[in-house]
Amino acid sequence: MLVRVVRMTFREEAVKAFLENFEANKQKIRNFPGCSHLELWQDENNKNIFMTYSHWQSEESLNQYRDSELFKTVWSFTKTLFAEKPVAFSSKKIQELP
C-alpha cells in the first residue's frame, strides 16, 4: 500500500472554492480504481492550509489516477487557488499499531 500526502496552501479568498470543488469530486476520487482511503485535513493554526491523505494500492494505481481526466480536471482548477507551491510525498506503510 502507498500512502500519499499532499499539503496545499491556498489564498485565503480561495478556500471556499477549494472546499466546494473537493466536495463535488471527493467520491469520484475515493472510488477511483486503486484508491482505498481518502481524507481531507485542515491545519489547526493556519486555516488556509489543507492536506489530502490517501491510500493507494500501488504507485502504478496512483500514477493511473494522475494520468486520468478526473485528476487533470480537479488539479487544473485547484492549482489556480494556491498561495504557495504544494508539497506532496508518497510513503509505504511499514507498521500500524492498534
Side-chain angles (χ1 to χ4, degrees):
M1 176 182 54
L2 187 76
V3 177
R4 179 82 167 173
V5 177
V6 181
R7 183 181 187 270
M8 301 165 285
T9 303
F10 294 99
R11 298 184 321 273
E12 287 184 29
E13 71 276 9
V15 168
K16 182 179 181 207
F18 164 71
L19 290 172
E20 289 171 352
N21 192 50
F22 184 84
E23 189 66 28
N25 289 288
K26 66 185 181 182
Q27 290 301 325
K28 295 177 203 165
I29 298 167
R30 170 55 188 86
N31 291 319
F32 195 88
C35 181
S36 61
H37 186 85
L38 177 63
E39 294 180 21
L40 178 64
W41 302 342
Q42 184 178 35
D43 189 273
E44 179 67 22
N45 299 308
N46 298 300
K47 301 302 182 191
N48 63 320
I49 298 176
F50 291 84
M51 284 141 288
T52 55
Y53 172 81
S54 56
H55 294 178
W56 295 87
Q57 190 174 34
S58 64
E59 186 174 9
E60 182 181 353
S61 297
L62 174 60
N63 287 335
Q64 287 173 350
Y65 168 66
R66 293 179 71 205
D67 289 337
S68 72
E69 284 305 312
L70 173 60
F71 176 81
K72 291 173 187 172
T73 301
V74 170
W75 195 247
S76 65
F77 175 78
T78 303
K79 67 184 180 181
T80 67
L81 308 173
F82 291 143
E84 297 177 14
K85 185 177 178 181
V87 177
F89 62 92
S90 298
S91 300
K92 266 189 185 176
K93 183 187 282 192
I94 302 298
Q95 289 186 10
E96 180 176 336
L97 304 177

